[in-house]
Amino acid sequence: MDSQFDNARINADLMIPRAVMIVMAASLAVVAALCIREGEQWQQHWPQDRLITYRTVFYAIAIITFPLTNLIRYIQVRLCQTMPGGRPAKRRYLTAVIVSMVSVEAIGMLGIVLFLLGDGVNTLYIFTGLAALGFVLYRPRPSEYLSIAAALAHRDAA
């Protein structure tokens, strides 16, 4: 393996994307915990028929968001490999990670919104669990980062 891509450097370059993921996951967990602990007083108690409509729409959004996030991330990684410019690989990859994490965080926020509108705590658990699954699925990966760094190194050498 090239000394340019040793494990210590890869881990150092991925420290910020991993920190972004951890901060976003922790903030979602804190907000969900606050809702569970103190949320009863914040709930609006909308009519059940409106909640069912919103719950259905939000589930559809969550179901669509997962493959869409995967597609957007795939496109962003490929663009990071081919886009001209002087930005280093770690900054390019950080952008892809941030977009993925914001998309996943939005799924968890849908559950918080439903809970605050008066839906049950089970809905909050489901959407927060889906967001946690998204954080695991779309975590920063050394293989993606290496593919970007290798493509940029190859392009600069040519």
Side-chain angles (χ1 to χ4, degrees), residues 52-119:
I52 290 172
T53 302
Y54 278 98
R55 187 183 316 136
T56 304
V57 169
F58 285 4
Y59 273 119
I61 290 170
I63 290 168
I64 292 168
T65 300
F66 271 101
L68 189 62
T69 301
N70 193 31
L71 176 66
I72 290 170
R73 184 165 173 140
Y74 176 81
I75 291 169
Q76 281 188 307
V77 168
R78 296 302 166 250
L79 285 174
C80 287
Q81 294 171 345
T82 59
M83 289 286 293
R87 289 180 53 200
K90 63 183 174 180
R91 287 204 46 214
R92 291 172 183 236
Y93 189 58
L94 177 62
T95 304
V97 169
I98 289 173
V99 170
S100 299
M101 294 299 115
V102 166
S103 176
V104 168
E105 179 111 5
I107 294 171
M109 295 308 281
L110 292 175
I112 291 168
V113 168
L114 277 173
F115 178 78
L116 293 176
L117 292 178
D119 211 348

Side-chain angles (χ1 to χ4, degrees), residues 5 7 14 16 23 28-29 34 44 50 53 58 60 68 77 84 86 94-95 97 99 105 142-143 146 149 152 154:
F5 301 124
N7 284 336
L14 290 178
I16 293 176
V23 166
L28 182 63
L34 282 173
Q44 298 297 313
R50 285 177 70 188
T53 302
F58 285 4
L68 189 62
V77 168
L94 177 62
T95 304
V97 169
V99 170
E105 179 111 5
S143 60
L146 278 175
L152 292 178
H154 178 69

Side-chain angles (χ1 to χ4, degrees), residues 130-151:
L130 286 172
L133 175 65
F135 283 120
V136 171
L137 289 175
Y138 303 118
R139 68 190 179 279
R141 292 191 182 96
S143 60
E144 289 177 336
Y145 173 69
L146 278 175
S147 70
I148 294 168

